[in-house]
Amino acid sequence: MNPVNYLYLAALLFAIGASGVLIRRNVIVLFMCIELMLNACNLALVTFSRMHGNLDGQIVAFFTMVVAAAEVVVGLAIIVSLFRSRHSASVDDASLMKL
Amino acid sequence: MNAIAAATTTSTGEAVQFWILGTVAVIGALSTVLLKKSVHSALSLAGTMVVLAVFYLANGAYFLGIVQIIVYTGAIMMLFLFVVMLVGVTAADSLKETLKGQRWLAVGCGLGFGVLLIAGIGNASLSTFNGLGAANALHGGNVEGIANLIFTKYVFAFEITGALLITATVGAMVLTHRERTERAKTQREMSEERVRGKHLPPLPAPGVYARHNAVDIAGLLPDGTPSELTVMKTLRDRGQIRDVSQEALADLKALEQRSGERLGREDADAVARGANPASAAENSEAAK
Amino acid sequence: MENLIALLVAAPLLGAAVLLCGGRRLDRAGHWLGTVLAAASFVVGVVLFADMLGKGAEDRALHQHLFSWIPVEGFQADIAFQLDQLSMTFVLLITGVGTLIHIYSIGYMEHDERRRRFFGYLNLFLAAMLILVIADNYLLLYVGWEGVGLASYLLIGFWQHKPSAASAAKKAFLVNRVGDMGLSIAIMLMFTTFGTFAFGPVLESTGETSEGKLTAIGLMLLLAACGKSAQVPLQSWLGDAMEGPTPVSALIHAATMVTAGVYLIVRSGAIFNGAPDAQLVVAIVGAVTLIFGAIVGCAKDDIKKALAGSTMSQIGYMILAAGLGPIGYIFAIMHLVTHGFFKAGLFLGAGSVMHGMNDEVDMRKYGGLRKYMPVTFITFGLGYLAIIGFPGLSGFFSKDKIIEAAFAKGGTEGWILGSVALLGAAITAFYMTRVMLMTFFGEKRWQPDAEGHEPHPHESPKSMTIPMIVLAVGSVFAGGFFAIGDRFVNWLEPVTGYEHGHSPLSVATVTGATVVALVIGVGIAWAMYGRKPVPVLAPRGSLLTRAARRDLLQDDFNHVVLVRGGEHLTRSLVYVDHSLVDGVVNGTAASVGGLSGRLRKLQNGYARSYAVSMFGGAAVVIAATLLMRAV
């Protein structure tokens, strides 16, 4: 098997995650889909690291994880406060940016 | 493992592992997107992440693989589950699309994007793989290699990431924190509050016992006094209640007086009819 | 010496400024100030003239550059004056006659409470007219041209409380604007053709320019001249302009302003010499106006309007002469000068008559005035003899020369133009005799006016009669002085050029024919107005008479063709504006609005919708990148 298959898998997961962001209304699931996309990227980065024979790709994947963790913390806090004020977990309810 | 990682093609074992676990990962991802309940989505995602952790290990990224399991699956996904628990099941869980055309656009975009990405990867000449054997061996292992990079080449990024994490923690606290401005009520106080000071039966409607039924006119109690309770609180606070209880009596009095005057001119008639002795007496007094 | 030239303009300009800005405190002395400054301008003119006479014919032209007006690269407009023999002639005529009319106005306007303002306007007019004739380029000439139009507007409408005067002023201004348009187009054409509009370079380089361009410029100049000089088809304002005070009619509509067109054509002689077609049109316009004005003059009972018709006709003579080319330019100017004398005299005489007759203008209510105002009678009579071309007087010499030159044009055109000029002379004799007979001879026909005031005809004060006498002297002797020994020809030849025309008829024949025409005209008039008494109410008259009383239907023509046509054009333009232009504009607005309304729906506030856009955009970027790499 050619390790390029990992990349194909990453692309597939990324596309699925992106579709999920667009399809799901529940803000928590939407957030999970974003995590899925980030993980797909990480898989690609790890595979690239293997291709190039150095560890820099893994370092970047590591930073991605850290940043994702921070993002999840803040994002979930936002979701909770949003839910408190609006009693809804739907992204479509937060549509105040229209005319 | 080093030899495997170094080769351009992988071993049959890894191929089998890839195809089986890859299928699982894709199914997990699809379940994340398609399952109705967010708890199920979270569990599916956790599964996909575990599979990815295995793939990291297979690609020679041992440190990342373990971190993936511990941090992502163990911490982040559990955080998700907690939030799901907080929020509970909502109408947003429904898979029914409310935006016109959004689903088709999303599917189209996703498919197109995936096809493009795959085509891009297919186009790229990625035939040679150096493998991680040499890189991992250089500092005596994968973890040591990564530590070496983090604390030398990427040390500033690492430190800044630390600051980011602190900021995120503080941010999460700020966002979710609610300042308490008064003493917390005890359970007894709350139960008393629920019963006292409130009308348990429904409030009387305005104007029910009066001659008018406007909302600003208080209804009359059986003894003829107006009841303020029958008027809504806003009007009550503004003092916009019209008291017509005396008005009605005054009207009646005026009416009687007028009829009395008329009767006064036709005295005999009034006496003959004897309609209202009281008013007739008043009338005769007025005539004097 | 050339530094004095600006003084010519400065004096009346100062007068105008002081009189118009000075306010009421100048009311008592204003008219003297105006007259003195006009006279000062005349004195400067005479000094310059004397200086000019002392020089050789070739270096008489003076030039004064005051300052650069619009110094732009490739567009140099200067305030610069040029005083050559042609300008000198005009300067003397304008300032001389102008001064006389100032003096006359002192008496004529004595009882008008706005006399100071009147003198301010007169000075303004003089200044503008002087700028016009001494400018050294067409742009500055245009300044004077417009200034003259403005002053004319102000003076015609001086009695603005009369609606007729106000509308006459407006009419004069508007009709003049048509001509001004021609002049401005001519100047623009000159600038594109020659790259300059100074007289010198323009007139010297006409030889290198195509005839088509010269014809276009010439026709535009002719349009300008038609407007200012009241030539067909822009003649309609002159008759109405008689609403102004009589000195204005004398100054503007006889001696000076209306001659500006003649000046323009003669000054631009080089252009017309290079464009024979335009020149022929000039001659035809002159000939048509000559007859037109004469016919109008025959039918009018208003003395000033009869004289206005006459002015039109006489200027027709000048334009005709100017259209004959170098054989006619000098005679055009010569007739212009003699006409300036006798027509100003006639108008002042008419003003004097009106002054004595309670401002009555209807000649049918005059009659027998020779006994009551002898000085006016004599000066008017001398002017009359001069204008009809009585042998020996001014008009005889100048008009005779024009008729001769018209015959000398050669070919069929020569014969036609000459015959028309000759016919005009006969009609001139007829209508002027008619004016003379109706005013000064016959029974007295005046009646009490509406308030019962019986007019008491009397001679006018000295301030009015003296200018009349001076002008009468000029009317008698100027022509002979100019013509005998070809003085005028020699004087102007260096500027305008001169060719002696070879007439198919001998000089004696033409002179004889002129005299015969004169006798016929006078005879008919005598038969119609001298032998029988003149009816106080105008008889119905023939179709031609009735048409002529209405200025040969020129106003009706203008109304039907221009006003109605304009209205229809405007209406259709409004329709087009509303339907097409507004349709396009509103349609654009509506379609933009509709598009925005639809685009607005994209801004639905849903984060997921925006995410689709982002994602789609990212896909497009990747697709484009891949495509570029593949290519």
Side-chain angles (χ1 to χ4, degrees), chain C residues 53-131:
Chain C
L53 282 179
K55 292 181 187 169
E58 291 307 322
D59 47 29
R60 278 175 172 167
L62 294 173
H63 196 268
Q64 182 184 15
H65 183 268
L66 276 189
F67 56 91
S68 277
W69 179 18
I70 309 174
V72 177
E73 184 67 34
F75 182 97
Q76 296 293 333
D78 292 336
I79 300 290
F81 298 131
Q82 168 187 313
L83 192 70
D84 56 10
Q85 289 92 323
L86 181 61
S87 300
M88 193 71 234
T89 311
F90 272 88
V91 166
L92 288 179
L93 177 73
I94 293 161
T95 54
V97 177
T99 307
L100 289 178
I101 289 166
H102 272 78
I103 295 170
Y104 177 90
S105 305
I106 294 174
Y108 191 87
M109 301 298 284
E110 194 172 0
H111 304 296
D112 197 300
E113 57 189 21
R114 292 159 71 229
R115 181 162 64 166
R116 170 185 55 84
R117 189 185 298 230
F118 182 77
F119 275 82
Y121 291 160
L122 280 185
N123 273 358
L124 177 66
F125 172 79
L126 274 192
M129 191 72 198
L130 286 168
I131 290 176

Side-chain angles (χ1 to χ4, degrees), chain A residues 1-9 11-17 19-20 22-26 28-29 31-33 35-36 38-40 42-43 46-56 58-59 61-70 72-74 76-81 83-84 89-90 92, chain B residues 4-5 8-10 14-15 18-19 26 29 32-33 35-36 38 42 45 49 52 55-56 58-61 64 67-68 72 76 79-80 83-84 87 92-98 102 106 110 113 118 121-122 126 129-132 135-136 142 145-146 149-150 153-154 157-158 161 165 168 172 175-176:
Chain A
M1 185 198 77
N2 192 325
V4 169
N5 284 348
Y6 286 113
L7 294 181
Y8 289 131
L9 178 66
L12 198 58
L13 290 180
F14 186 89
I16 292 172
S19 306
L22 302 182
I23 290 171
R24 293 307 295 260
R25 279 189 295 153
N26 189 328
I28 302 169
V29 179
F31 215 45
M32 290 179 201
C33 291
E35 293 305 314
L36 182 59
L38 283 168
N39 272 286
N42 278 351
L43 178 59
V46 168
T47 313
F48 286 137
S49 167
R50 184 183 182 188
M51 278 162 68
H52 293 293
N54 62 35
L55 293 174
D56 291 30
Q58 293 186 16
I59 298 290
F62 172 74
F63 282 131
T64 311
M65 278 186 194
V66 178
V67 172
V72 162
V73 168
V74 177
L76 287 177
I78 290 174
I79 289 172
V80 167
S81 63
F83 184 77
R84 266 195 208 142
S90 167
D92 289 355
Chain B
I4 295 169
T8 308
T9 54
T10 51
E14 194 186 347
F18 174 81
W19 288 116
V26 171
T32 310
V33 173
L35 284 182
K36 198 175 163 188
S38 35
L45 185 61
M49 282 176 174
L52 287 183
F55 283 155
Y56 293 171
N59 274 319
L64 276 185
V67 166
Q68 169 88 356
Y72 255 115
I76 292 181
L79 204 55
F80 266 105
V83 175
V84 168
V87 169
D93 286 345
S94 153
L95 281 176
K96 199 165 183 296
E97 186 54 60
T98 49
Q102 171 79 10
F113 201 82
I118 289 168
I121 296 167
L126 300 168
F129 271 73
N130 297 326
L132 277 171
N136 276 344
N142 179 257
I146 285 181
L149 275 177
I150 283 179
K153 195 174 172 186
Y154 294 102
F158 184 70
T161 323
L165 278 174
L175 279 170
T176 49

Side-chain angles (χ1 to χ4, degrees), chain C residues 456-513:
Chain C
H456 298 288
H458 56 272
E459 191 52 82
S460 300
K462 286 247 165 47
S463 66
M464 291 169 72
T465 51
I466 289 173
M468 286 155 61
I469 293 168
V470 173
L471 288 170
V473 171
S475 322
V476 173
F477 298 111
F481 178 76
F482 291 156
I484 294 165
D486 282 346
R487 279 202 188 94
F488 205 74
V489 172
N490 294 336
W491 164 250
L492 275 187
E493 201 210 328
V495 182
T496 60
Y498 176 65
E499 282 172 28
H500 186 71
H502 294 285
S503 169
L505 301 169
S506 70
V507 177
T509 318
V510 174
T511 311

Side-chain angles (χ1 to χ4, degrees), chain A residues 18 22-23 25 92 98-99, chain C residues 600 604-606 608 611 615:
Chain A
L22 302 182
I23 290 171
R25 279 189 295 153
D92 289 355
K98 68 180 166 194
L99 292 170
Chain C
R600 192 183 67 116
N604 52 11
Y606 295 118
R608 290 192 298 143
F615 199 46

